[in-house]
Amino acid sequence: MKTLIDTRERKAKITRSFIFLFLLLSIILILFVLYSQNKYFKYDAKLYQNFTSRVLKQIQERTIQHYKDVLYEILLDDTLKHNISLGKREAVYKILKPKYVLLQKQNPFIDVMQIIKSDGTSFLRIHNPRKYGDRLDNKRKMVKNSITNQKFVEGFESGIYANSYRLMMPIYIDGKYIASIEIGINPDYFVLTAKRILDERGYLFIKKQNLVLHHNFMKFHIGEYYLQSDTYEKDDKLLKLFPTKIKLIPRFEVNFEGKTYILHMNSIKKYGGGEYGKFIFLEDITQSKNYQNEIRMYGFVLFVLFLASIIFLINYYMAEISVQLHEVYERFTNELTQRETYLTTLLNSLPNITISLIEREMESVNDKFYDFTGFSSLEEFKKKYKCICDLFVPRQGYLSAYIENEYWMDYIIARPDMDHFAILKKDDNEYIFRVFSSIVDFDEKQRYFIIFADVTEILRVKDELEKNQKLLIAQSKQAAMGEMINMIAHQWRQPLSVISMAASNIVIDIELDINDKNALKEESKEIINEINFLSQTIDDFRNFFKTDKKVEKVKISEILDKAIRLVEKQFISRSIEIIHNFQDEKNITTYSRELIQVFLSILNNSKEAYEEIKDIKKVIKIEIRGYDNRVSIVITDNAGGVKEDMVERIFEPYFSTKEKKNGSGLGLYMSKTIIEKHLQGTIKAYNYGNGISLEIVLPLFFGSWDRRSGKR
């Protein structure tokens, strides 16, 4: 039995190998036939059309060059030009007649030679000497342009007696234009020359409006195009097909006496614009057509054999396929079971509550779901609840079954970039979950996976951190208030001294009975000015301590000026100079009062650093640079800087580089907090020269700049 099965399998393999070999050979032959047809025998009418156009163009270019040289040679005869200028027609005729006869011997198609005077009249026609004196410049554009421009011109143009390709050259004596000489060539010259090169049948059709009545044309025509008689042989039987079976259509094919011809048309441009006529060539493509037909026949036979083999092969495999279908079905069932097991294992491996849904129906959940809800199976849960959203605790800012009239699951899936939170209750305790969603194509079905991550403890720790931060902010404010009181004392010391001195001067003048009104007036003005300064100082400090936060559109330089005014007196008393350098400054949208606090903290840090340094010129440089979507503020002092291993630590709370701490150690920490968390910017420090630089980068508008990448 086993031997019989092995024999059948060997025969089946041999049969399959034979069929595959035959199919492979058939495909190779078909591809070879198609390749041969396309590469060697497929007729390219457009390519031949371009070739005929190039041939005609080359003939025309050579004709122009040759007869241009001929005209130059003729005009080298000064006697000829002298006789033309004196109007001696017979003398000119005697000189030009032999040249005209010689040219006709060389080219029988030359049928025109004449001299045209500068006034546009015909001086002499060598081909018809009895006809002269008639006006030509009002009938022919070429004559008019030659006289007007006095340059060489050429082109197809119909005259009174001939349709010709004309070449016209101006005649000068001592630099003065006197006439033009013209040679005309019958257009048949171009057709017959091209026929010799192409070895094809060629004809010239001239448009009706360009016909010369004195010339001989055939009686029949095709539309508005007439066939010139000189361009055909009287025994040309193919020509007789033109009015009926041959149409002036590009690439028109016609069968005649067992041969196939294809029609090529080349339009002739008339001098001055418009169409003069058409060169028609009939190419014999009989051999290409016959070979193409043979190739198609062989290809058809091969295709039929190939198709028969395919049908046989299909029938052969149908039996095997029907046997294998049952195996495929069983394998598919096993795979489906394995996928369900894999999905369950995958869900259980996740550390958070995870739900798999198809549309809005809960399909499966993981063990974390059962641990939280207390149910032992999904079916048991569904008996009591329709959805996990039934466990949501409704509260402002958290998920509920419907948000803004939209189902909760649709809501979070449509907004993947938002943070979603839900409150679920268990044993009278509330737990906060962050909710994530994703869509996965699994097992040829679109599934929605909803993950509930317990963030209750994280939020509790976050609240504690925020409370600690608020405490630090309060301590920073208290420290700032102490510094502000010290600043007010410095700001007021000099104005109060000025007021006291002015008041004393007024009292002395009264006691001495000095009645100088002007002096009294000046002293009073000085007192008023100093009182106004004191009032402005109080307003500046009061604005600084206002608790309301308002976004303002301001310039950084304006905020810096306010901060400098608050510390100006202290800096002057300590001989500290502030240098500004503002470049391309732009308006920004920010919290100006918080930014003033940052600037004051940085300036006070530099001031305290200078307390330990003597015998140097104390300078603080402030540089502002504007960019497309951000602004940079760099504040640099020369107070010695800090150790490299401490640069990153200066923004830590309660950290100080000094042995004796004069402040709270919170200034730069609060500055970093304000810049990064409130103003959406960045701040960094680095040693520069003999000091330290602090660089602040802020966005021009909130949300307009990614501070991590520096991109919009």
Side-chain angles (χ1 to χ4, degrees):
M1 183 67 179
K2 184 178 180 181
T3 305
L4 181 61
I5 294 174
D6 292 340
T7 303
R8 289 178 179 175
E9 289 180 355
R10 282 198 299 272
K11 289 183 178 179
K13 287 181 180 180
I14 293 172
T15 304
R16 286 196 298 268
S17 300
F18 174 76
I19 294 173
F20 278 125
L21 180 62
F22 179 78
L23 290 175
L24 181 62
L25 290 174
S26 299
I27 292 172
I28 292 173
L29 288 172
I30 291 172
L31 292 176
F32 174 76
V33 166
L34 294 175
Y35 174 78
S36 300
Q37 179 180 353
N38 288 332
K39 184 173 182 180
Y40 298 104
F41 303 105
K42 185 177 180 181
Y43 178 73
D44 192 339
K46 186 176 181 180
L47 183 64
Y48 190 85
Q49 175 75 29
N50 294 336
F51 175 67
T52 58
S53 298
R54 287 197 302 272
V55 169
L56 290 169
K57 185 178 180 181
Q58 289 175 1
I59 294 171
Q60 185 175 352
E61 290 173 351
R62 291 174 183 174
T63 302
I64 293 171
Q65 187 59 47
H66 175 70
Y67 287 102
K68 196 174 183 180
D69 294 339
V70 169
L71 291 174
Y72 272 126
E73 186 177 349
I74 291 173
L75 294 180
L76 291 176
D77 190 338
D78 292 333
T79 303
L80 170 66
K81 293 190 286 186
H82 182 70
N83 288 329
I84 293 173
S85 66
L86 296 177
K88 295 182 178 181
R89 187 175 289 103
E90 291 182 3
V92 172
Y93 180 79
K94 288 180 180 179
I95 294 172
L96 289 180
K97 180 63 177 179
K99 298 180 184 295
Y100 179 67
V101 172
L102 179 62
L103 287 175
Q104 281 191 318
K105 287 181 180 180
Q106 296 172 352
N107 185 356
F109 291 95
I110 292 180
D111 56 5
V112 171
M113 178 183 279
Q114 70 172 324
I115 305 296
I116 302 170
K117 294 174 67 178
S118 60
D119 61 359
T121 59
S122 174
F123 174 73
L124 174 65
R125 289 183 173 90
I126 305 300
H127 56 283
N128 188 6
R130 296 180 181 179
K131 181 65 177 177
Y132 60 87
D134 52 321
R135 189 92 180 220
L136 299 177
D137 59 342
N138 59 354
K139 299 175 183 177
R140 292 175 50 199
K141 289 184 180 180
M142 186 177 289
V143 175
K144 184 177 180 179
N145 288 345
S146 176
I147 295 171
T148 303
N149 300 324
Q150 300 174 13
K151 292 181 180 180
F152 175 80
V153 293
E154 52 80 25
F156 288 93
E157 187 179 60
S158 298
I160 298 175
Y161 296 98
N163 291 299
S164 302
Y165 179 77
R166 301 171 186 270
L167 304 97
M168 191 175 295
M169 183 171 286
I171 303 173
Y172 294 91
I173 292 183
D174 298 330
K176 181 180 178 181
Y177 172 74
I178 60 170
S180 293
I181 184 171
E182 178 185 50
I183 290 179
I185 304 172
N186 191 308
D188 298 338
Y189 166 75
F190 295 93
V191 179
L192 296 178
T193 304
K195 285 171 66 175
R196 286 196 299 270
I197 295 173
L198 298 172
D199 194 23
E200 303 289 354
R201 297 173 184 264
Y203 309 95
L204 172 63
F205 284 84
I206 297 179
K207 211 169 185 179
K208 184 177 181 180
Q209 64 191 47
N210 300 318
L211 295 177
V212 176
L213 298 178
H214 301 84
H215 205 66
N216 182 29
F217 287 86
M218 290 189 68
K219 295 182 180 179
F220 77 89
H221 60 87
I222 302 176
E224 59 179 338
Y225 295 93
Y226 283 74
L227 185 68
Q228 189 163 298
S229 61
D230 297 339
T231 61
Y232 81 101
E233 301 172 5
K234 292 184 179 180
D235 59 348
D236 190 346
K237 298 179 181 179
L238 181 61
L239 184 62
K240 297 177 182 180
L241 300 178
F242 265 100
T244 56
K245 294 185 179 180
I246 298 180
K247 308 295 181 183
L248 292 184
I249 300 173
R251 302 170 191 173
F252 180 81
E253 291 187 13
V254 60
N255 294 315
F256 178 70
E257 294 183 349
K259 292 187 177 182
T260 302
Y261 298 89
I262 188 168
L263 182 142
H264 300 284
M265 292 193 300
N266 297 88
S267 182
I268 311 170
K269 291 184 179 179
K270 181 172 64 176
Y271 180 82
E275 188 183 35
Y276 183 77
K278 293 183 184 296
F279 286 126
I280 306 298
F281 294 97
L282 291 172
E283 181 191 5
D284 186 354
I285 59 171
T286 306
Q287 184 177 358
S288 296
K289 283 288 184 181
N290 292 340
Y291 201 89
Q292 283 182 2
N293 292 333
E294 291 178 7
I295 292 296
R296 290 192 183 100
M297 182 184 68
Y298 295 146
F300 177 75
V301 172
L302 286 174
F303 177 75
V304 170
L305 293 175
F306 176 77
L307 188 61
S309 301
I310 290 293
I311 294 172
F312 176 79
L313 192 62
I314 290 173
N315 291 331
Y316 179 82
Y317 276 106
M318 282 299 294
E320 294 187 8
I321 291 173
S322 61
V323 172
Q324 295 174 359
L325 281 177
H326 182 68
E327 295 178 2
V328 172
Y329 173 75
E330 289 184 350
R331 189 163 56 249
F332 174 77
T333 304
N334 293 333
E335 288 179 359
L336 184 60
T337 304
Q338 290 175 1
R339 288 181 181 181
E340 291 177 352
T341 304
Y342 171 76
L343 179 59
T344 303
T345 304
L346 178 63
L347 293 178
N348 287 330
S349 66
L350 298 175
N352 302 306
I353 297 175
T354 307
I355 303 171
S356 170
L357 303 97
I358 297 178
E359 295 182 351
R360 295 185 180 181
E361 183 68 24
M362 294 174 64
E363 178 199 26
S364 59
V365 296
N366 64 352
D367 292 339
K368 293 292 182 181
F369 176 86
Y370 297 128
D371 294 341
F372 182 81
T373 60
F375 292 96
S376 59
S377 67
L378 185 59
E379 289 73 18
E380 184 181 351
F381 174 82
K382 288 182 178 181
K383 289 178 181 178
K384 188 174 182 180
Y385 302 105
K386 293 182 179 179
C387 171
I388 193 173
C389 60
D390 294 337
L391 302 179
F392 290 171
V393 177
R395 194 165 297 168
Q396 183 68 29
Y398 293 87
L399 293 176
S400 57
Y402 285 89
I403 305 103
E404 299 175 1
N405 297 323
E406 191 172 0
Y407 189 61
W408 72 277
M409 191 180 77
D410 300 333
Y411 180 85
I412 65 174
I413 290 173
R415 297 164 180 83
D417 297 330
M418 288 179 58
D419 292 333
H420 305 283
F421 294 90
I423 300 176
L424 278 72
K425 197 169 184 179
K426 176 184 179 184
D427 300 332
D428 297 329
N429 294 320
E430 292 183 352
Y431 295 86
I432 301 175
F433 291 87
R434 188 174 182 183
V435 185
F436 304 89
S437 65
S438 63
I439 303 174
V440 179
D441 290 329
F442 181 79
D443 194 20
E444 299 181 358
K445 294 179 182 178
Q446 192 177 66
R447 285 178 166 80
Y448 300 93
F449 288 89
I450 311 296
I451 299 173
F452 291 80
D454 190 350
V455 294
T456 309
E457 185 64 21
I458 295 174
L459 294 178
R460 185 188 64 78
V461 173
K462 184 179 178 182
D463 290 340
E464 289 182 1
L465 290 175
E466 289 178 353
K467 290 178 182 178
N468 292 335
Q469 191 177 58
K470 288 179 181 178
L471 180 60
L472 289 174
I473 293 173
Q475 292 177 359
S476 175
K477 282 287 185 180
Q478 290 174 359
M481 288 179 68
E483 292 175 358
M484 289 300 156
I485 293 171
N486 188 32
M487 291 178 193
I488 292 172
H490 278 278
Q491 294 288 84
W492 279 22
R493 185 174 293 130
Q494 183 178 349
L496 288 174
S497 298
V498 173
I499 292 171
S500 177
M501 186 178 293
S504 297
N505 290 337
I506 293 172
V507 171
I508 292 170
D509 288 344
I510 292 173
E511 289 178 353
L512 296 176
D513 198 18
I514 299 174
N515 191 12
D516 188 346
K517 292 183 179 180
N518 291 331
L520 182 62
K521 187 176 181 181
E522 290 299 322
E523 297 290 349
S524 300
K525 282 183 178 179
E526 191 171 1
I527 291 172
I528 292 171
N529 290 336
E530 295 301 330
I531 290 173
N532 288 336
F533 177 78
L534 295 175
S535 177
Q536 180 63 43
T537 302
I538 290 296
D539 289 341
D540 288 342
F541 283 104
R542 184 173 58 190
N543 288 334
F544 174 72
F545 282 108
K546 282 184 178 179
T547 57
D548 60 317
K549 290 177 63 173
K550 183 172 66 175
V551 175
E552 298 175 297
K553 189 174 184 180
V554 294
K555 288 187 176 180
I556 295 294
S557 59
E558 296 174 357
I559 301 175
L560 273 167
D561 287 340
K562 291 180 181 180
I564 292 170
R565 281 206 308 269
L566 296 175
V567 298
E568 186 175 17
K569 297 298 182 181
Q570 295 183 59
F571 277 48
I572 292 173
S573 66
R574 289 170 172 79
S575 300
I576 301 173
E577 181 185 2
I578 298 178
I579 299 175
H580 298 170
N581 181 14
F582 302 159
Q583 300 178 9
D584 299 328
E585 187 184 4
K586 300 177 181 179
N587 289 329
I588 72 166
T589 303
T590 189
Y591 295 114
S592 60
R593 293 196 189 98
E594 295 197 359
L595 194 52
I596 288 176
Q597 182 178 346
V598 173
F599 291 149
L600 285 175
S601 177
I602 296 172
L603 292 173
N604 281 328
N605 262 29
S606 295
K607 179 194 70 175
E608 292 173 3
Y610 281 124
E611 296 292 339
E612 302 176 3
I613 299 177
K614 308 294 182 183
D615 302 328
I616 66 167
K617 184 179 179 181
K618 303 171 184 178
V619 178
I620 296 177
K621 295 181 180 179
I622 303 176
E623 188 175 2
I624 300 177
R625 287 194 180 98
Y627 299 95
D628 290 341
N629 61 346
R630 65 192 188 280
V631 64
S632 170
I633 309 104
V634 181
I635 302 175
T636 307
D637 63 28
N638 60 341
V642 296
K643 294 180 180 179
E644 287 296 335
D645 59 346
M646 293 184 179
V647 171
E648 294 298 326
R649 297 190 60 200
I650 65 174
F651 295 109
E652 295 178 6
Y654 307 114
F655 177 81
S656 175
T657 59
K658 308 173 185 65
E659 294 181 1
K660 296 180 180 180
K661 292 175 60 177
N662 298 322
S664 63
L666 293 172
L668 291 181
Y669 167 73
M670 288 309 305
S671 297
K672 184 176 179 66
T673 301
I674 290 170
I675 291 296
E676 294 185 351
K677 295 190 176 181
H678 297 189
L679 305 184
Q680 301 180 356
T682 61
I683 182 171
K684 64 179 180 179
Y686 51 87
N687 284 316
Y688 182 81
N690 192 30
I692 190 168
S693 290
L694 281 91
E695 182 179 6
I696 300 170
V697 180
L698 297 172
L700 295 182
F701 303 96
F702 281 158
S704 65
W705 174 63
D706 185 347
R707 67 185 184 190
R708 291 170 296 180
S709 64
K711 298 180 180 179
R712 187 178 291 272

